[in-house]
C-alpha cells in the first residue's frame, strides 16, 4: 500500500513540475473569429455541468466565447491536462483539491458541482461474503487513487480502526474497475455512478459517502480554474457560473425534464437518470456563497476547513509531505464569481 501511495505522490509531483515549466508562456487561445476559447474538462457525473452540456446552455448562453468540452475519467487526468495548459477549468474531487493546495498548485476553487451523498459508495460482490467494512479484511478492494472515493475509503477504515494493510487496495479508474469486477478479479470497489450502478447488478452497497458525511467526513466534486484564466478572463468565469446556477434551477423546477435530458449523457433510462441525480446534493450560487460552503471574499466559508481536514488526513497516510495553515486553503477559494447580478 505504501508503494502505491509513493507512486501516486510521484505522479502529483510530476504534475507540479508541469505547472512550473508550463506556467511561463501559456496563454489562453483565441478562435479564428476572435472569441475567447474556453476549455472545460468535465466528467460524466449527473450534476449541473452535465445538464448544461445536455441542454446546450454553453453554446446558447455564452457571449463572445467559444466553448470546448473535453471529457475526463479521473482527477489525475484532469490535473495533468490543466497543468499542461490543455484546459482552463476542470472537475476534480475534494481530496485531489486538498492535495494540490498542500503542494502549492495555483489552481483555485470556483464552484462546488455537488456535495457527494449516495452517488459514491462501496459496492461488494453478492457472493464475496462481505457484509460490513470489517469483512473487507483479506479482500481485494478497488478505488481510484487521488479521488474522493480514495479519501472516503481510507477515512472509513480509520474510523473503524481497521488497518488498511490488511486489505489489498488496488488503484483503478472506473472503467478498469468495472472490467475487473465483471471478471471476478476484485471483491469490491468504492466508486461513483454510473459505474456504481452497473456494479450493483450483482452487488450490494455496504457504505455510502452520505453516511460518512454524517460522521464528519465531507467530500465534494469541485470546479477549479487556472489562476491564469481567472486573472485574464474573470468575465468568462462569471458567465460560466451563471450558466451552472441556471442549470441547478432547471433541475429543481423540472426534475423530470432534466432527467430526460441526461439519459444520453449517462447512457441510462430516464428513471435511472433521475435516481442518479438525486444521490447528489445540488447547491445554487447563493447557497455556495454561504458560510457553510465557499463563502464570500469578506466572509470565508467552512469548505476551506474541510479541505484542510482532508489534507491533514492525506499527510497521515504519507500521500503528502506537509499541510499548510488554514489561510492557504482559504486563499485557494475564489468565491467572487458566485455573486450574480
Amino acid at each position: 500500500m505504501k508503494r502505491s501511495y509513493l507512486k501516486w505522490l510521484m505522479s502529483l509531483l510530476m504534475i507540479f513540475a508541469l505547472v512550473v515549466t508550463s506556467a511561463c508562456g501559456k496563454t489562453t487561445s483565441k478562435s479564428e473569429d476572435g472569441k475567447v476559447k474556453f476549455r472545460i474538462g468535465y466528467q460524466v457525473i449527473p450534476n449541473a455541468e452535465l445538464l448544461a452540456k445536455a441542454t446546450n446552455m454553453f453554446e446558447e448562453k455564452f457571449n463572445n466565447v467559444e466553448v470546448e468540452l473535453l471529457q475526463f475519467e479521473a482527477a489525475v487526468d484532469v490535473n495533468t491536462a490543466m497543468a499542461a495548459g490543455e484546459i482552463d477549468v476542470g472537475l476534480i474531487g475534494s481530496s485531489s483539491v486538498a492535495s494540490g493546495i498542500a503542494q502549492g498548485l495555483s489552481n483555485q476553487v470556483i464552484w462546488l458541482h455537488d456535495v457527494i451523498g449516495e452517488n459514491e459508495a462501496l459496492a461488494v460482490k453478492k457472493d464475496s461474503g462481505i457484509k460490513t467494512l470489517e469483512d473487507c479484511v483479506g479482500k481485494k478492494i478497488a478505488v481510484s487513487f487521488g479521488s474522493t472515493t480514495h479519501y472516503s475509503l481510507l477515512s472509513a477504515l480509520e474510523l473503524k480502526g481497521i488497518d488498511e494493510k490488511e486489505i489489498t487496495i488496488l488503484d483503478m479508474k472506473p472503467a478498469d474497475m468495472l472490467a475487473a469486477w465483471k471478471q471476478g478479479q476484485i471483491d469490491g470497489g468504492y466508486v461513483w455512478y454510473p459505474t456504481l450502478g452497473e456494479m450493483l447488478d450483482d452487488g450490494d452497497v455496504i457504505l455510502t459517502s452520505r453516511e460518512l458525511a454524517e460522521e464528519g467526513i465531507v467530500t465534494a466534486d469541485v470546479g477549479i480554474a487556472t489562476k491564469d484564466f481567472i486573472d485574464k478572463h474573470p468575465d468568462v468565469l462569471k458567465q460560466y457560473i451563471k450558466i451552472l446556477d441556471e442549470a441547478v434551477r432547471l433541475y429543481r423546477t423540472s426534475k423530470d425534464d432534466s432527467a430526460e435530458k441526461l439519459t444520453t449523457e449517462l447512457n441510462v433510462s430516464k428513471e435511472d437518470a433521475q435516481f442518479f441525480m438525486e444521490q447528489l446534493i445540488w447547491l445554487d450560487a447563493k447557497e455556495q456563497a454561504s458560510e457553510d460552503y465557499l463563502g464570500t471574499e469578506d466572509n470565508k466559508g467552512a469548505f476551506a476547513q474541510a479541505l484542510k481536514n482532508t489534507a491533514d488526513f492525506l499527510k497521515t497516510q504519507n500521500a503528502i509531505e506537509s499541510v499548510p495553515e488554514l489561510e492557504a486553503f482559504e486563499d485557494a477559494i475564489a468565491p467572487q464569481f458566485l455573486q450574480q447580478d
Side-chain angles (χ1 to χ4, degrees):
M1 185 63 182
K2 187 176 290 186
R3 184 179 302 172
S4 297
Y5 264 121
L6 183 59
K7 178 182 177 182
W8 178 44
L9 177 59
M10 290 302 295
S11 69
L12 286 173
L13 291 174
M14 288 176 67
I15 291 171
F16 179 73
L18 277 170
V19 171
V20 174
T21 56
S22 65
C24 297
K26 277 291 180 189
T27 57
T28 304
S29 59
K30 296 263 187 153
S31 61
E32 292 182 0
D33 57 3
K35 292 183 177 180
V36 175
K37 192 170 185 180
F38 182 38
R39 302 160 300 176
I40 300 172
Y42 76 98
Q43 295 190 52
V44 180
I45 297 173
N47 56 33
E49 186 172 64
L50 197 66
L51 182 57
K53 175 181 181 294
T55 54
N56 299 314
M57 284 188 180
F58 294 127
E59 293 85 350
E60 295 174 0
K61 296 183 178 294
F62 262 118
N63 297 317
N64 202 37
V65 177
E66 180 182 311
V67 177
E68 183 178 4
L69 290 155
L70 302 167
Q71 183 180 331
F72 293 87
E73 198 177 344
V76 64
D77 299 324
V78 174
N79 274 328
T80 301
M82 187 166 281
E86 296 171 353
I87 57 176
D88 305 303
V89 299
L91 181 157
I92 63 175
S94 49
S95 58
S96 295
V97 175
S99 178
I101 294 170
Q103 295 177 83
L105 299 186
S106 61
N107 303 327
Q108 292 193 294
V109 175
I110 61 170
W111 179 257
L112 296 181
H113 287 290
D114 54 76
V115 174
I116 297 171
E118 286 89 355
N119 185 60
E120 293 187 355
L122 175 56
V124 296
K125 285 278 192 177
K126 289 184 181 293
D127 60 358
S128 65
I130 302 174
K131 301 297 181 183
T132 66
L133 199 60
E134 289 82 356
D135 295 332
C136 291
V137 171
K139 304 293 186 177
K140 294 180 179 179
I141 306 296
V143 70
S144 180
F145 279 20
S147 69
T148 50
T149 54
H150 189 200
Y151 168 63
S152 295
L153 175 62
L154 297 183
S155 296
L157 294 176
E158 183 180 55
L159 197 64
K160 292 290 187 179
I162 302 170
D163 188 344
E164 67 194 58
K165 295 178 182 178
E166 296 184 89
I167 301 171
T168 301
I169 301 179
L170 304 171
D171 181 13
M172 293 184 182
K173 294 179 181 179
D176 298 325
M177 188 186 304
L178 182 59
W181 173 278
K182 291 180 176 179
Q183 293 167 16
Q185 297 172 350
I186 57 175
D187 300 295
Y190 206 134
V191 70
W192 50 87
Y193 284 103
T195 301
L196 176 60
E198 294 191 62
M199 290 167 63
L200 291 181
D201 286 342
D202 60 342
D204 294 311
V205 167
I206 63 166
L207 178 68
T208 72
S209 291
R210 186 182 293 274
E211 292 171 330
L212 289 177
E214 293 171 357
E215 298 284 347
I217 302 168
V218 178
T219 53
D221 289 316
V222 182
I224 58 172
T226 65
K227 187 65 167 58
D228 180 67
F229 199 87
I230 289 174
D231 291 341
K232 292 180 178 178
H233 300 288
D235 56 327
V236 174
L237 290 175
K238 190 149 190 175
Q239 288 183 63
Y240 172 62
I241 296 303
K242 187 175 183 179
I243 291 169
L244 295 180
D245 191 46
E246 185 172 337
V248 173
R249 292 198 302 272
L250 173 62
Y251 165 67
R252 289 178 173 179
T253 58
S254 185
K255 291 187 177 182
D256 189 72
D257 185 55
S258 296
E260 180 67 41
K261 296 294 185 183
L262 283 188
T263 56
T264 300
E265 298 289 341
L266 297 172
N267 194 28
V268 297
S269 68
K270 185 177 74 172
E271 290 73 20
D272 283 345
Q274 187 163 354
F275 171 79
F276 297 154
M277 295 163 79
E278 291 173 349
Q279 306 309 296
L280 296 169
I281 301 169
W282 296 48
L283 301 171
D284 63 23
K286 184 177 181 180
E287 291 165 335
Q288 295 197 31
S290 73
E291 62 181 13
D292 292 332
Y293 296 104
L294 300 185
T296 65
E297 291 181 283
D298 296 327
N299 297 299
K300 307 297 183 181
F303 191 65
Q305 184 64 61
L307 289 175
K308 186 181 185 303
N309 293 344
T310 303
D312 287 335
F313 174 80
L314 293 173
K315 184 177 182 297
T316 68
Q317 299 297 315
N318 299 316
I320 53 179
E321 293 183 352
S322 61
V323 178
E325 297 299 320
L326 177 62
E327 184 179 6
F329 295 89
E330 292 176 338
D331 291 344
I333 294 176
Q336 61 268 29
F337 306 110
L338 298 173
Q339 307 302 314
Q340 299 297 311
D341 299 328

